[in-house]
């Protein structure tokens, strides 16, 4: 059997993980685009998935997203230019910066959190709610079993 | 509880899927780099995960990887420049092109297929082999439950 046919019929873990990640992100950003957020891109999710309404330190966002600080800085520049976040001095430490969502950023966070909930309900219906819960637990345990790193693995 | 803390302690499906994909790819390409393939990048996996030793049509690679033809063309240009693949006329249709791995491309495919096997064994040991098999099945079913699309979702 051709390798391409074997990989399509019995995809390995690398292929399955990329497929799930790409398809979930595609759904999130396609549905967000229909809600008026057509300038947001999956790479922006590294920030917007974790950002606190009250603001988050850039270094903390880099740690949470497993991206290096240079990559995080570039994503933050884009999001600031697109009007999703702004950089403000941290009231707790005037020398430190805090990334704060704009009203548009806050709406995006609410909308996409809702979209992810919808996708999870879709998968729970497809797999069954108990099997889906087990799948989600195994997904987290598998990710935790591998090094997090601070690289932009999409680079 | 802060949103960032909640997302870290109880990550949603979008975060879990990106974490697994990013960490699996990081492992594959970090271990491949130790084996002398330090110029390969995760985006190149869209081709090298599926490529046939005897060659594959570019359109078929785009379909398998769920990338649009423009993105696939750019990845193929890089891989040709890096010496992993070459474009040859398709013997079955001289007007069509075939993407064929070079000796270096073939070695990379063998090495990374072995690395993915190792990662799968590591996760099977961590989760237990039966739970890991169930997880893998659920991973495939979840990916199949979402639209594949032909977009470069990492763009």
């Amino acid at each position: 059997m051709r390798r391409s046919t074997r990989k399509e019929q019995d995809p390995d873990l690398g292929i399955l993980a990329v497929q799930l990640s790409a398809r979930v992100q595609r759904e999130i950003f396609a549905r967000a685009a229909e809600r008026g957020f057509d300038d947001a891109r999956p790479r922006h999710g590294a920030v917007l998935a974790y950002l606190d309404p009250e603001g988050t330190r850039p270094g903390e966002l880099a740690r949470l997203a497993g991206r290096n600080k240079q990559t995080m800085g570039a994503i933050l520049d884009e999001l600031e230019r697109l009007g999703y976040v702004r950089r403000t001095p941290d009231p707790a430490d005037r020398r430190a910066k805090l990334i704060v969502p704009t009203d548009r950023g806050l709406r995006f966070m609410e909308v996409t959190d809702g979209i992810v909930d919808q996708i999870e309900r879709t998968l729970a219906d497809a797999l069954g709610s108990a099997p889906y819960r087990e799948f989600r637990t195994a997904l987290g345990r598998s990710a935790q079993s591998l090094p997090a790193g601070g690289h932009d693995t999409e680079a």
Side-chain angles (χ1 to χ4, degrees), chain A:
Chain A
M1 185 190 290
R2 287 167 65 91
R3 180 172 182 259
S4 59
T5 308
R6 178 166 47 81
K7 295 281 193 174
E8 182 176 23
Q9 292 181 1
D10 181 24
D12 63 36
L13 177 70
I15 290 170
L16 289 172
V18 168
Q19 276 183 353
L20 182 68
S21 174
R23 294 179 185 191
V24 168
Q25 289 198 61
R26 180 163 183 268
E27 273 300 286
I28 293 170
F29 285 83
R31 295 189 198 181
E34 294 168 359
R35 306 277 296 270
F37 299 101
D38 56 354
D39 53 358
R41 297 288 173 268
R43 64 178 173 277
H44 300 143
V47 168
L48 297 167
Y50 293 102
L51 189 60
D52 297 295
E54 61 272 36
T56 313
R57 294 267 186 97
E60 175 69 357
L61 289 169
R63 183 187 69 79
L64 288 163
R67 300 299 179 91
N68 63 50
K69 293 193 176 186
Q70 293 83 334
T71 303
M72 180 53 65
I75 296 170
L76 290 173
D77 290 343
E78 287 183 15
L79 285 172
E80 193 166 29
R81 183 173 50 76
L82 293 170
Y84 285 87
V85 306
R86 50 192 173 78
R87 290 173 163 101
T88 62
D90 186 344
D93 174 0
R94 306 292 299 179
R95 295 158 307 174
K97 282 259 173 284
L98 206 58
I99 306 303
V100 181
T102 61
D103 290 346
R104 178 169 173 77
L106 282 172
R107 283 199 307 278
F108 179 90
M109 287 152 59
E110 288 162 14
V111 165
T112 51
D113 281 350
I115 292 168
V116 173
D117 287 342
Q118 290 169 11
I119 295 171
E120 298 217 34
R121 280 195 295 273
T122 304
L123 294 184
D125 292 342
L127 273 62
S129 60
Y132 180 69
R133 276 196 304 277
E134 289 165 16
F135 164 63
R136 231 173 153 297
T137 303
L139 191 58
R141 287 188 56 200
S142 299
Q144 292 306 316
S145 307
L146 297 167
H151 289 267
D152 180 353
T153 49
E154 308 308 343

